[in-house]
Amino acid sequence: MGSRIGDELKARALWFTAPRTAEFRRETVPPPGPGEVRVETIASAVSAGTEMLVYRGEVPQDLRLDLPTLVGNYAFPIKYGYAAAGHVLDTGSGVDHLSPGDPVFVHHPHQDVFLVPARTAVRLPDDLDPELGVFAANLETALNVVHDTPLRLGETALIFGQGVVGLLVALLLKLAGAGQVLVVDPLEERRRLALAAGADEACGPGELNERITEITDGRGVDVAIEASGSGAALQGAIDAVATEGTVVVASWYGTKPVTLALGGHFHRGRVRLSSSQVGRSNPELAPRWGRDRRMHTVLGLLGRLNLRKLISHRIPFEEAPEAYLLLDERPGEVLQVIFTYEALRGGQDV
Amino acid sequence: MGSRIGDELKARALWFTAPRTAEFRRETVPPPGPGEVRVETIASAVSAGTEMLVYRGEVPQDLRLDLPTLVGNYAFPIKYGYAAAGHVLDTGSGVDHLSPGDPVFVHHPHQDVFLVPARTAVRLPDDLDPELGVFAANLETALNVVHDTPLRLGETALIFGQGVVGLLVALLLKLAGAGQVLVVDPLEERRRLALAAGADEACGPGELNERITEITDGRGVDVAIEASGSGAALQGAIDAVATEGTVVVASWYGTKPVTLALGGHFHRGRVRLSSSQVGRSNPELAPRWGRDRRMHTVLGLLGRLNLRKLISHRIPFEEAPEAYLLLDERPGEVLQVIFTYEALRGGQDV
Amino acid sequence: MGSRIGDELKARALWFTAPRTAEFRRETVPPPGPGEVRVETIASAVSAGTEMLVYRGEVPQDLRLDLPTLVGNYAFPIKYGYAAAGHVLDTGSGVDHLSPGDPVFVHHPHQDVFLVPARTAVRLPDDLDPELGVFAANLETALNVVHDTPLRLGETALIFGQGVVGLLVALLLKLAGAGQVLVVDPLEERRRLALAAGADEACGPGELNERITEITDGRGVDVAIEASGSGAALQGAIDAVATEGTVVVASWYGTKPVTLALGGHFHRGRVRLSSSQVGRSNPELAPRWGRDRRMHTVLGLLGRLNLRKLISHRIPFEEAPEAYLLLDERPGEVLQVIFTYEALRGGQDV
Amino acid sequence: MGSRIGDELKARALWFTAPRTAEFRRETVPPPGPGEVRVETIASAVSAGTEMLVYRGEVPQDLRLDLPTLVGNYAFPIKYGYAAAGHVLDTGSGVDHLSPGDPVFVHHPHQDVFLVPARTAVRLPDDLDPELGVFAANLETALNVVHDTPLRLGETALIFGQGVVGLLVALLLKLAGAGQVLVVDPLEERRRLALAAGADEACGPGELNERITEITDGRGVDVAIEASGSGAALQGAIDAVATEGTVVVASWYGTKPVTLALGGHFHRGRVRLSSSQVGRSNPELAPRWGRDRRMHTVLGLLGRLNLRKLISHRIPFEEAPEAYLLLDERPGEVLQVIFTYEALRGGQDV
């Protein structure tokens, strides 16, 4: 192994420097040291949920960063992003499981070339379009949500919000044995896509009550997943589940307060609410599931789902700062946005 | 067996006829028919939580009545109350397990004499002061809350609100193996009483964070019970539990909205929230626990706890209408209020 | 509605009159009274597990009968069997949901025409070959097993015994999100069939340890289902699961003792063992699942699985007594045996 | 800190050198290095269960040793034992939390003076008779069993076997809210002691069924703990629990096979069986409970239970080899046997 390229490389990283302000900063990426790899990015995914909260400055400023690749803080500036797919450029000594050219996924901010500990780079399957590797992050989140959801074969699941995570959760719950997967989203285009991808039913918020009554014969759904980031949807989820049903909150509301009516069905129906956050897994699974097994399972799922359909926009990395303005103003038009990177270095010099 | 009294009896019942308006209505109570008993009330308990919501008209008007002894509806007028202790006056044919003079508890509104199916009258233990039977209702609620709370031996429990239910929950959690029971209430008198009754620690809301940190070494409490009816307390409960900790909501908020910040510890700490309502029990216990077993267990607990201390006011039933005005204005001064009834019929005109 | 046929019908029922002795007995089936239906059988299924224990007299003689249609007792004679599909012949007054000619499933012994309360006859879907309705009983058992099994998306399941119930459990666990379904059976034909029907891996008992190590990287399977009725298989299941893994016992061992080594992996691996019996469901599901919902879910699954392949023998009902001799001697050659019935009465005479 | 004694010390350790053969071996204990402490033993406890299996050679010979202080292997010779209380003699550099003279508990074989990493020595409370520290090991096991037992307030618990662990489990289940704790043991003396220590009921195996029926009104106990090491008791536990009840196996059966009848109540009653082994804790508690918290809780419990009564024999360490012969032959006469050590070095020849 060892470095094949040797020299420092110039890199470009995207930073949020103030609320609603994205700009590039240059950095120099040294050759990989022992146990490190350098990665050239092919694609990185923009998260419509958390990432846009960060971009807008709606995250508590003193929240600690929960990935080692993030830099700065939520009071700005911050280098953010957590889903990059690329190829290994070169490897440091002691790196046995990766070679130059290998396709990898890394939880890393948007940046065209970067250096990370080799153990944080996940080898993607050879038969997978490496660009689809960017879905590994959201699919890991979705799998964790499903592992936190007490769904049994033949039960009815309701998912609020058909952004990328909500849609992936819907697909995984179907794989996990849901008899009926009903999704709700105010945007018709998203409902259409969810149905095409495998949901059984889709409706807008206005029709929801009627549909639930029809589908469940008035009983309510067995589990509801809130993945829209809207407090109103959380109320809808609470009211939609059957007696002793469970609501799993997969959204992060940032600093937005959520106002709930808990005196009705929540009370009489003995509803359960739990937060699913990807940093930890269901403790009941812990003796048998670690991070590696979870990611390994995700890699197997990447090839089973029709993920390409979920990419609504491919934007050259150079245009990223302007892209955020658009994403912020017209969230309804996008599903998965990815930044694409020119492969300047692929094999040549750099 | 059989009726010993035979005649109709004149009775007086308390009705809420409009928001914040209580008044007496007369009714005639016929002799017991087959399977029925007539009961002369000794004492009935006023619930500071739900009952005062009903009194103030803060309950959704179309909520269904959940006890067969309630009459009217939440849009007024309504005959309300659910904790009466008394003696059996006479019994109809086919009633084998009760005899005249037996002390009983009934989920019944405030009324000096009433007729109910014999199966709804719970025989109180002979060695119990029958007046304390009024606690059976709240103790049943508290036991149900404890059965819904995943506490393990040596864990730390935090209870918000030291009204009667909150206080009973604190005592039962101690019996259930809590290593530390910490209670929080803004009223010093209630904190004093809780400590006297068996809580390990008591504090006001302002000192709470510091105390939790001390007691749990920064980990957070294992379970928190919200029994205060305050949305701010629910937020406090969410923020007080450890990672993967559980909040059990024992309060009924009526129509009051509750505003929560769910973007912080709720999210990262994967907090679980569940509603405990006395109408149903923990499904995991259902194969072995029915209503009868729950009530039988309550009867055993009535004698083990020092309940007399929880009675802050004994008010003659005649003064009930005025008493509600007081309760409404100065909730902080009362713990358990009971109405006492003159034993007009006891042995004399019977 | 009401009866269209009116007259008594002569019927033939199969009885076990002594260990390993099956014979026909005649009975007269009166016209349906109020709320009753008369059913003409198309097919009935022989259960290779419990039914053969009954036939051999290996059931505790004082065990109570757990279906209202069974007659006699386990000390013989006994009219046994619990999976009959047929058509409604005629209906008594007050029967609104069934009409003559409707395909139905009934938990009933082997008998060509019988009378039952209409609520016990389950209407089969119109687009289903009614003969396949006989699988409703075993599929209900299999669904109950799956509801008792704590499998999560992507986990590995191992099923011992690929008789009908074991095979159905394997198929349902795949639908329920198993990443890998491994089955083990000493009979090659059954392994072949399981793979054809959807299992991911199949092996004989001798290769099991090696395969588990390969598939799970030495971790052990997440859940194991014992559906073979063999004590050795139960030991195998205990040793096959990962630390804190679960073994679900779907077999009924009758009076056979089971000898286990519990000092090894059971102890150190903190293994959990639970019995799944179809008479009751997972209590956690009880607030939302009743018998009707379970059967309704089964009806939906009947059409999704390729059940026809599981029928290894179709035997005319007339030959039933001899058939049991064969089943008893050569259990390895059969999977699902069904008795077929001539439609003597279909609209014509009777 | 640092060593105050400096010299090597002669020590005597007990070894099992062949089945049923205990003898002393000498060793030299060097002064503590960095992060180490030297401990002078006051008392060590003999475990009547596991330790006697080891002594008799009834443990699988290739089982790995699960404590770092054990030496040898189960094929003999082996230095065994896991519950020693003593005083710190001297400490190496970098040891801040312990000082010479401090009372400590260590999971260590029977030996009069020994050297261990300081982090493995648990500081005992100052107000505790340090001899009682030997119970820390079994109390940790018992607490783990209780954490693995799904008991709720007011439920009935049955414990098979009133050796030390069984008795401690009974006491802790009482603290954990059991309404009734029933214990069963064939030895009258043990039943007497259990009642004195706090069990509600005690009986011999012959009266068990009748007592359970009385106490539970025929329902069966909610949880049963098998702590006797007898296969017959495990069968008794399975048959004693209510429908959907749980049996926790706290015994280690070594290589003894256990023969069970699983075709009766196990099957119909959907009984759950799980193994509780002290090496791991209930995964549901894992996010909040580590080893340190468990031991800290044990230290708090040491002072709350009347443990002195459980010591049936105090034997000078010098007589240990002969003592094992007795323990092996007359297990019924002993409860907790401890070896006592002369404090030769306490400040004098050191």
Side-chain angles (χ1 to χ4, degrees):
Chain A
M1 297 299 137
S3 166
R4 278 198 337 206
I5 297 185
D7 295 324
E8 286 189 345
L9 292 172
K10 301 287 178 211
R12 205 157 42 156
L14 191 88
W15 287 72
F16 300 146
T17 53
R20 294 191 158 81
T21 310
E23 57 186 48
F24 288 115
R25 292 192 175 181
R26 298 277 170 184
E27 52 186 275
T28 301
V29 178
E36 293 181 327
V37 295
R38 233 174 357 181
V39 174
E40 177 186 39
T41 309
I42 296 168
S44 64
V46 180
S47 114
T50 307
E51 184 163 352
M52 294 311 291
L53 288 178
V54 175
Y55 172 73
R56 293 186 201 110
E58 292 177 355
V59 173
Q61 301 204 347
D62 55 350
L63 202 67
R64 67 175 170 77
L65 302 182
D66 59 358
L67 279 176
T69 51
L70 306 185
V71 186
N73 60 65
Y74 293 110
F76 301 105
I78 183 168
K79 184 166 88 168
Y80 193 83
Y82 55 72
H87 287 113
V88 171
L89 270 178
D90 45 10
T91 64
S93 61
V95 176
D96 294 330
H97 70 296
L98 288 176
S99 303
D102 281 355
V104 291
F105 165 80
V106 188
H107 288 104
H108 197 280
H110 309 288
Q111 181 168 335
D112 52 5
V113 59
F114 56 81
L115 180 72
V116 286
R119 62 181 161 67
T120 68
V122 178
R123 178 70 160 86
L124 292 168
D126 283 318
D127 56 359
L128 184 83
D129 175 353
E131 184 182 83
L132 297 180
V134 297
F135 284 99
N138 280 337
L139 204 49
E140 207 181 1
T141 298
L143 178 60
N144 214 49
V145 169
V146 170
H147 279 178
D148 281 326
T149 302
L151 179 92
R152 299 288 176 158
L153 182 60
E155 291 200 318
T156 302
L158 169 63
I159 298 97
F160 284 80
Q162 289 293 288
V164 178
V165 169
L167 214 152
L168 292 174
V169 167
L171 299 184
L172 293 188
L173 285 173
K174 195 74 197 165
L175 285 186
Q180 290 277 324
V181 168
L182 167 62
V183 302
V184 55
D185 198 293
L187 300 172
E188 190 180 346
E189 172 61 14
R190 288 188 172 183
R191 299 199 296 266
R192 195 194 57 72
L193 196 58
L195 288 170
D200 295 300
E201 307 262 351
C203 69
E207 320 150 63
L208 183 58
N209 284 346
E210 198 181 337
R211 296 299 285 278
I212 291 173
T213 302
E214 265 175 54
I215 292 172
T216 70
D217 211 8
R219 185 197 313 121
V221 302
D222 298 291
V223 296
I225 316 299
E226 206 301 270
S228 77
S230 140
L234 181 53
Q235 183 71 56
I238 288 170
D239 292 338
V241 295
T243 295
E244 305 270 357
T246 299
V247 173
V248 177
V249 182
S251 293
W252 181 44
Y253 301 104
T255 55
K256 278 187 301 179
V258 173
T259 299
L260 299 171
L262 299 177
H265 181 61
F266 174 77
H267 177 69
R268 297 238 167 175
R270 298 170 54 88
V271 171
R272 296 135 188 223
L273 207 67
S274 64
S275 158
S276 175
Q277 200 271 347
V278 72
R280 300 180 69 99
S281 292
N282 186 336
E284 292 178 36
L285 304 189
R288 304 186 307 273
W289 282 80
R291 296 250 161 174
D292 284 355
R293 184 176 181 191
R294 189 170 73 180
M295 182 52 85
H296 181 79
T297 302
V298 160
L299 297 180
L301 291 166
L302 279 172
R304 286 179 67 189
L305 304 170
N306 192 347
L307 298 172
R308 200 174 309 278
K309 280 200 175 169
L310 310 194
I311 301 175
S312 62
H313 296 76
R314 272 187 187 76
I315 299 176
F317 183 45
E318 287 73 20
E319 302 168 22
E322 298 75 37
Y324 281 99
L325 296 174
L326 226 113
L327 289 172
D328 188 31
E329 280 163 27
R330 290 187 252 166
E333 293 174 16
V334 305
L335 192 55
Q336 182 63 69
V337 174
I338 64 173
F339 295 138
T340 57
Y341 297 71
E342 275 182 64
L344 281 183
R345 295 169 193 80
Q348 48 182 57
D349 67 324
V350 191
Chain B
M1 297 301 128
S3 166
R4 277 195 340 200
I5 299 184
D7 295 324
E8 286 189 346
L9 293 173
K10 301 287 178 212
R12 205 157 43 154
L14 191 88
W15 286 73
F16 299 146
T17 53
R20 294 189 160 81
T21 310
E23 57 186 48
F24 288 115
R25 292 191 175 182
R26 297 275 171 185
E27 52 187 273
T28 301
V29 178
E36 292 180 329
V37 295
R38 225 162 21 170
V39 174
E40 178 187 38
T41 309
I42 295 168
S44 65
V46 179
S47 112
T50 307
E51 184 163 353
M52 294 311 291
L53 288 176
V54 176
Y55 172 74
R56 292 187 200 109
E58 292 176 354
V59 173
Q61 302 203 346
D62 55 350
L63 202 67
R64 67 176 170 75
L65 302 182
D66 59 359
L67 278 176
T69 51
L70 306 185
V71 186
N73 60 65
Y74 293 109
F76 302 104
I78 183 166
K79 185 166 88 170
Y80 193 84
Y82 54 73
H87 287 113
V88 172
L89 269 179
D90 45 10
T91 64
S93 61
V95 175
D96 295 330
H97 71 294
L98 288 175
S99 303
D102 282 355
V104 292
F105 166 80
V106 188
H107 288 103
H108 197 280
H110 309 287
Q111 182 167 338
D112 52 6
V113 58
F114 55 82
L115 180 72
V116 286
R119 62 180 160 67
T120 67
V122 178
R123 178 69 160 85
L124 291 168
D126 282 318
D127 56 359
L128 184 82
D129 175 353
E131 185 183 82
L132 297 180
V134 298
F135 284 99
N138 280 338
L139 204 48
E140 207 181 1
T141 298
L143 178 60
N144 214 50
V145 169
V146 170
H147 279 177
D148 281 326
T149 302
L151 178 93
R152 300 287 177 159
L153 182 60
E155 292 199 319
T156 302
L158 170 63
I159 298 98
F160 285 79
Q162 289 295 286
V164 179
V165 169
L167 213 151
L168 292 174
V169 168
L171 299 185
L172 293 187
L173 285 173
K174 197 70 199 166
L175 284 187
Q180 290 278 323
V181 168
L182 168 63
V183 303
V184 55
D185 198 293
L187 299 172
E188 191 181 347
E189 173 62 14
R190 290 189 171 181
R191 299 199 298 265
R192 195 195 56 73
L193 196 58
L195 288 169
D200 296 299
E201 307 260 350
C203 68
E207 319 148 65
L208 183 59
N209 285 346
E210 199 181 335
R211 297 298 285 277
I212 291 173
T213 302
E214 265 175 55
I215 292 172
T216 69
D217 212 9
R219 185 198 311 122
V221 302
D222 297 292
V223 296
I225 317 298
E226 206 300 89
S228 76
S230 139
L234 181 52
Q235 183 70 55
I238 289 170
D239 292 338
V241 295
T243 295
E244 305 268 358
T246 299
V247 174
V248 177
V249 182
S251 295
W252 181 44
Y253 301 104
T255 54
K256 278 187 300 179
V258 173
T259 299
L260 300 171
L262 300 177
H265 181 60
F266 174 78
H267 176 68
R268 296 238 167 174
R270 298 170 55 85
V271 171
R272 295 133 188 224
L273 207 67
S274 64
S275 158
S276 175
Q277 200 271 347
V278 72
R280 301 179 68 98
S281 292
N282 185 335
E284 291 178 37
L285 304 189
R288 302 186 308 273
W289 282 81
R291 296 247 162 176
D292 284 356
R293 185 177 182 190
R294 189 170 72 180
M295 181 52 85
H296 180 78
T297 302
V298 161
L299 296 179
L301 291 166
L302 279 172
R304 286 179 65 190
L305 304 170
N306 193 348
L307 298 172
R308 201 175 308 277
K309 281 200 175 170
L310 310 194
I311 301 175
S312 62
H313 296 75
R314 275 187 186 75
I315 300 176
F317 184 45
E318 288 73 19
E319 301 169 20
E322 298 73 39
Y324 282 99
L325 297 173
L326 226 114
L327 290 172
D328 187 30
E329 278 164 28
R330 290 187 251 166
E333 294 174 17
V334 306
L335 194 54
Q336 182 63 69
V337 174
I338 64 172
F339 295 138
T340 56
Y341 296 72
E342 275 182 65
L344 283 181
R345 294 167 195 81
Q348 49 178 66
D349 70 329
V350 179
Chain C
M1 297 299 138
S3 166
R4 279 198 336 204
I5 298 184
D7 295 324
E8 286 188 345
L9 292 173
K10 301 286 178 213
R12 206 158 41 156
L14 191 88
W15 286 73
F16 300 146
T17 53
R20 293 189 160 82
T21 309
E23 58 186 49
F24 287 114
R25 293 192 174 181
R26 297 276 171 186
E27 53 187 273
T28 300
V29 179
E36 293 180 328
V37 293
R38 235 174 357 183
V39 174
E40 178 186 39
T41 308
I42 296 169
S44 64
V46 179
S47 113
T50 307
E51 184 163 353
M52 294 311 292
L53 288 177
V54 176
Y55 171 74
R56 293 185 201 113
E58 292 176 355
V59 174
Q61 301 201 349
D62 56 351
L63 202 67
R64 68 178 169 76
L65 302 182
D66 60 357
L67 278 177
T69 52
L70 306 184
V71 186
N73 60 65
Y74 292 110
F76 301 104
I78 183 168
K79 185 166 89 168
Y80 193 84
Y82 55 72
H87 287 114
V88 172
L89 271 178
D90 45 9
T91 64
S93 62
V95 176
D96 294 330
H97 71 294
L98 288 175
S99 303
D102 281 354
V104 290
F105 165 80
V106 189
H107 287 105
H108 198 280
H110 309 287
Q111 181 167 335
D112 51 5
V113 59
F114 57 81
L115 180 73
V116 286
R119 62 181 161 67
T120 68
V122 178
R123 178 70 162 83
L124 293 168
D126 283 318
D127 55 359
L128 184 81
D129 175 353
E131 186 182 81
L132 298 180
V134 298
F135 284 100
N138 280 337
L139 204 49
E140 208 180 2
T141 299
L143 178 60
N144 214 49
V145 169
V146 170
H147 279 177
D148 281 326
T149 302
L151 179 92
R152 299 288 177 158
L153 181 61
E155 291 200 318
T156 302
L158 169 64
I159 298 98
F160 285 80
Q162 288 294 287
V164 178
V165 169
L167 213 151
L168 292 175
V169 168
L171 300 185
L172 293 188
L173 285 174
K174 196 71 199 167
L175 284 187
Q180 290 278 323
V181 168
L182 168 62
V183 302
V184 55
D185 198 294
L187 300 172
E188 190 181 347
E189 172 61 13
R190 288 188 172 182
R191 298 199 297 266
R192 194 193 57 72
L193 196 57
L195 288 170
D200 296 300
E201 307 261 350
C203 69
E207 320 149 64
L208 183 59
N209 285 346
E210 198 181 337
R211 297 298 285 276
I212 291 172
T213 303
E214 265 175 53
I215 291 172
T216 70
D217 211 8
R219 186 197 312 122
V221 302
D222 298 290
V223 296
I225 317 298
E226 206 301 89
S228 77
S230 141
L234 181 52
Q235 183 71 56
I238 289 170
D239 292 338
V241 295
T243 295
E244 305 269 357
T246 299
V247 174
V248 177
V249 183
S251 294
W252 182 44
Y253 301 104
T255 55
K256 280 188 299 181
V258 173
T259 299
L260 299 171
L262 300 177
H265 181 61
F266 174 77
H267 177 68
R268 296 238 168 176
R270 299 170 53 87
V271 171
R272 295 134 188 223
L273 206 68
S274 64
S275 158
S276 175
Q277 201 270 348
V278 70
R280 299 180 69 98
S281 292
N282 186 335
E284 291 178 37
L285 304 190
R288 303 185 307 271
W289 281 81
R291 295 248 160 176
D292 284 356
R293 185 178 180 189
R294 188 171 74 180
M295 181 52 85
H296 181 78
T297 303
V298 161
L299 296 179
L301 290 166
L302 279 171
R304 284 180 67 189
L305 304 171
N306 193 348
L307 298 172
R308 200 175 309 278
K309 281 199 174 169
L310 309 194
I311 301 175
S312 62
H313 296 75
R314 273 187 187 76
I315 299 176
F317 183 45
E318 288 74 18
E319 302 168 21
E322 298 75 37
Y324 282 99
L325 296 174
L326 225 115
L327 289 172
D328 188 30
E329 279 164 27
R330 289 186 254 167
E333 293 174 17
V334 306
L335 194 55
Q336 182 63 69
V337 174
I338 65 173
F339 296 139
T340 56
Y341 296 72
E342 276 183 63
L344 283 181
R345 293 167 195 81
Q348 48 180 60
D349 68 325
V350 191
Chain D
M1 298 296 137
S3 167
R4 279 197 335 204
I5 298 183
D7 295 324
E8 286 189 345
L9 293 172
K10 302 287 176 210
R12 204 157 43 155
L14 191 88
W15 287 73
F16 300 146
T17 53
R20 294 188 160 81
T21 310
E23 57 186 49
F24 287 115
R25 293 193 174 180
R26 298 273 172 189
E27 52 187 274
T28 300
V29 178
E36 293 180 328
V37 294
R38 228 167 11 173
V39 174
E40 179 186 37
T41 309
I42 296 169
S44 65
V46 179
S47 114
T50 307
E51 183 163 353
M52 294 311 292
L53 288 176
V54 175
Y55 172 74
R56 294 186 198 111
E58 292 176 355
V59 173
Q61 301 202 347
D62 55 351
L63 202 67
R64 66 177 171 77
L65 303 181
D66 59 358
L67 279 176
T69 51
L70 306 184
V71 186
N73 61 64
Y74 292 109
F76 301 104
I78 182 168
K79 185 167 88 169
Y80 193 84
Y82 55 73
H87 287 115
V88 171
L89 270 178
D90 46 9
T91 63
S93 62
V95 176
D96 294 331
H97 70 296
L98 288 174
S99 303
D102 282 354
V104 290
F105 165 79
V106 188
H107 287 104
H108 198 279
H110 309 287
Q111 181 167 335
D112 52 4
V113 60
F114 56 81
L115 180 73
V116 286
R119 61 179 162 68
T120 68
V122 178
R123 178 71 162 84
L124 291 168
D126 283 317
D127 56 358
L128 184 82
D129 175 354
E131 185 183 81
L132 297 181
V134 299
F135 284 99
N138 280 338
L139 205 48
E140 207 180 2
T141 298
L143 178 60
N144 215 48
V145 169
V146 170
H147 278 178
D148 281 326
T149 301
L151 179 93
R152 299 288 177 157
L153 181 61
E155 292 200 317
T156 302
L158 170 64
I159 298 97
F160 285 80
Q162 288 295 286
V164 178
V165 169
L167 214 151
L168 293 175
V169 168
L171 299 185
L172 294 188
L173 285 174
K174 196 71 197 166
L175 284 188
Q180 289 278 324
V181 168
L182 167 63
V183 303
V184 55
D185 198 293
L187 300 172
E188 191 181 345
E189 172 62 14
R190 288 189 172 183
R191 299 199 297 267
R192 195 195 55 74
L193 196 57
L195 288 170
D200 297 298
E201 308 260 351
C203 69
E207 321 147 64
L208 184 59
N209 285 346
E210 198 180 336
R211 296 297 286 278
I212 291 173
T213 302
E214 265 174 53
I215 292 172
T216 70
D217 210 9
R219 185 197 313 122
V221 302
D222 297 292
V223 298
I225 317 298
E226 207 301 88
S228 76
S230 140
L234 181 52
Q235 183 70 56
I238 289 170
D239 292 338
V241 295
T243 295
E244 305 269 357
T246 299
V247 174
V248 177
V249 183
S251 293
W252 181 44
Y253 302 104
T255 55
K256 280 187 299 179
V258 173
T259 299
L260 299 171
L262 300 177
H265 181 60
F266 174 78
H267 177 69
R268 297 237 168 177
R270 298 171 55 85
V271 171
R272 295 134 189 223
L273 207 68
S274 63
S275 158
S276 175
Q277 201 270 348
V278 72
R280 301 178 68 97
S281 293
N282 185 335
E284 291 178 36
L285 304 190
R288 303 185 307 271
W289 282 81
R291 296 249 160 173
D292 285 355
R293 186 178 180 189
R294 189 170 72 180
M295 181 53 84
H296 181 78
T297 302
V298 160
L299 296 180
L301 290 166
L302 279 172
R304 285 180 66 188
L305 305 170
N306 192 349
L307 299 172
R308 200 175 309 276
K309 282 200 174 170
L310 309 194
I311 301 175
S312 62
H313 296 74
R314 272 188 187 74
I315 300 176
F317 184 45
E318 288 73 18
E319 302 168 21
E322 297 75 37
Y324 281 99
L325 296 173
L326 226 114
L327 289 173
D328 188 29
E329 279 163 27
R330 290 187 252 166
E333 293 174 17
V334 306
L335 191 57
Q336 182 63 68
V337 174
I338 65 172
F339 296 138
T340 56
Y341 297 72
E342 275 182 65
L344 284 182
R345 293 169 194 80
Q348 49 178 59
D349 71 329
V350 177

